[in-house]
Amino acid sequence: GGRHAVSADVDVHLVRRLFEKAVAHALRLQLQPLGWQVQRGRKLSWPIEQASEGIFAHVPGMQTDIELVHVGERRKLVIDTKFTHIFTSTQYRQEVLRSGYLYQLYAYLRTQEDALHMLGVRSEGMLLHPQFGESMDAFIDMQGHRLRFKTIDLTGSAQDFEWQLLNLGTCLG
């Protein structure tokens, strides 16, 4: 954009965590007064019914970045923040969603659906990336869950950033 910043030798994982924290904090400020609970970094359990001895030492953990829950409306949005371009390329297509990110979000939603279904809660997921070039706000509905793919412009003002985040809660269509 038209703004300049000092380039710093920064760890990419640190930048991603800062993006996640900034999004979570802004969402908390904007959406809690509207009845939303904002949770960050919640560990999820796999719905394992039986397992062989010793396998649990090798099962990966699951931890969400951000969860928005509105008890009164029985709605839940799991937001997974990424600090990469929303698309990658393959030998067959120029712009394709990153399969690993899609699988991760899908696992968050599907592994928790039994407990939420009993409570009558509708859960949805979002991959939230910074915007590089064109903005994106698209979704697919799959097996009872909406999965949204959204970019957010980080080059605008703080007010623009807050406005974009405030509108994330309305993405639960």
Side-chain angles (χ1 to χ4, degrees):
R3 303 195 195 285
H4 299 281
V6 176
S7 177
D9 184 18
V10 179
D11 178 9
V12 69
H13 298 291
L14 173 63
V15 173
R16 193 190 82 70
R17 283 193 308 269
L18 288 173
F19 177 56
E20 176 189 324
K21 284 183 178 184
V23 169
H25 184 65
L27 287 171
R28 189 172 289 114
L29 290 173
Q30 294 291 325
L31 297 179
Q32 274 186 340
L34 302 175
W36 290 92
Q37 297 171 6
V38 180
Q39 300 174 334
R40 201 176 138 259
R42 190 170 74 89
K43 293 183 188 285
L44 303 178
S45 298
W46 291 96
I48 296 171
E49 295 171 3
Q50 290 186 356
S52 61
E53 187 175 331
I55 190 64
F56 285 113
H58 306 288
V59 175
M62 286 190 293
Q63 182 172 334
T64 60
D65 289 346
I66 302 165
E67 293 180 55
L68 303 179
V69 178
H70 197 292
V71 176
E73 295 184 19
R74 295 183 176 176
R75 298 161 89 181
K76 177 178 182 174
L77 175 62
V78 176
I79 301 174
D80 202 55
T81 57
K82 302 296 185 188
F83 206 75
T84 61
H85 193 287
I86 197 164
F87 295 119
T88 189
S89 61
T90 67
Q91 70 183 64
Y92 304 108
R93 290 194 283 175
Q94 192 67 6
E95 291 184 335
V96 62
L97 293 168
R98 296 171 185 270
S99 60
Y101 294 168
L102 182 57
Y103 299 150
Q104 179 183 14
L105 187 60
Y106 184 73
Y108 290 164
L109 297 175
R110 291 301 308 258
T111 60
Q112 308 305 302
E113 69 186 0
D114 284 347
L116 293 173
H117 181 71
M118 290 173 46
L119 298 172
V121 173
R122 179 182 56 178
S123 65
E124 302 182 29
M126 177 185 293
L127 290 175
L128 182 64
H129 291 253
Q131 180 176 319
F132 295 97
E134 285 188 44
S135 67
M136 180 175 193
D137 187 359
F139 70 90
I140 56 176
D141 290 336
M142 184 170 26
Q143 296 181 312
H145 300 283
R146 176 157 289 180
L147 285 78
R148 186 169 295 274
F149 312 97
K150 185 157 179 60
T151 58
I152 188 166
D153 185 2
L154 300 179
T155 63
S157 68
Q159 291 81 15
D160 292 340
F161 179 71
E162 289 179 14
W163 182 85
Q164 291 176 81
L165 292 176
L166 180 59
N167 287 308
L168 292 182
T170 63
C171 288
L172 291 164

